[in-house]
Amino acid sequence: MIYTIDPRFHQTYGIRMKIDILIPTYNRMYDLQRNLKLLDKIQLEIPGLVFHVIVSDNASSDGTVQFLQGYCPCNISVELNFNEINIGLEQNALMVLSLSKAEYFMFLGDDDYLDINYLKKSLKLMSEGVDVIIPGGCGISKMRVRNSRSRSIS
C-alpha cells in the first residue's frame, strides 16, 4: 500500500527518504502540473522506490504559487518553498538543495519529464552502492566516489 507522507513525517519519525527530487521553478505552472502528475504515477509503478519531491518557487506570477498551495498529491510526498522575490535560477537551485535530507538527490527541471526506466535503473544502481549517477544521451554513467571507478551502462 502506498501512503502519502507529510514532509515533516520523515523528520519527526526518523524515516529517511532514498531520493529527493529537487525542482526549482519559475512561471511554469502547466509544466510543473504535468511533471508532478507524472511523478505521482511513477511512485505507484516502482515498488520499493521512496522519493520526496521538493519544489522551490522563485516568485512566480503565473498562478504557480496558487496551484502549489492547493496541490494534493495522491502517492508522493511534496514539500514546498516559496521565495518572496525572484532570487535567480542559481540561488533558487541552491535553496532547494539546502532543503534536501535524503541519501540521494537529483535536480529535475520543471519542464523535464523523467522516463520510468531511468528511475528503475537509478534505483538498481543505488542498491549496488553507486554514489553518483549522471544521465546522458548515451546511457547512464555511474561512479563510486570512494574508489573513483566509473563506467557507463545503457
Side-chain angles (χ1 to χ4, degrees), residues 111-150:
D111 60 346
D112 296 330
Y113 307 108
L114 289 178
D115 182 275
I116 191 166
N117 292 319
Y118 171 76
L119 283 176
K120 284 180 180 179
K121 284 183 181 181
S122 296
L123 183 62
K124 181 180 181 298
L125 293 172
M126 286 183 278
S127 70
E128 295 172 0
V130 172
D131 294 315
V132 179
I133 301 169
I134 304 169
C138 297
I140 299 174
S141 295
K142 70 178 191 174
M143 188 182 331
R144 287 187 175 87
V145 175
R146 290 184 257 350
N147 61 13
S148 299
R149 293 185 317 168
S150 81

Side-chain angles (χ1 to χ4, degrees), residues 9-25:
F9 185 86
H10 65 282
Q11 296 163 352
T12 306
Y13 298 99
I15 294 174
R16 188 165 182 189
M17 296 294 170
K18 187 73 171 176
I19 306 170
D20 279 344
I21 298 177
L22 311 177
I23 306 176
T25 191

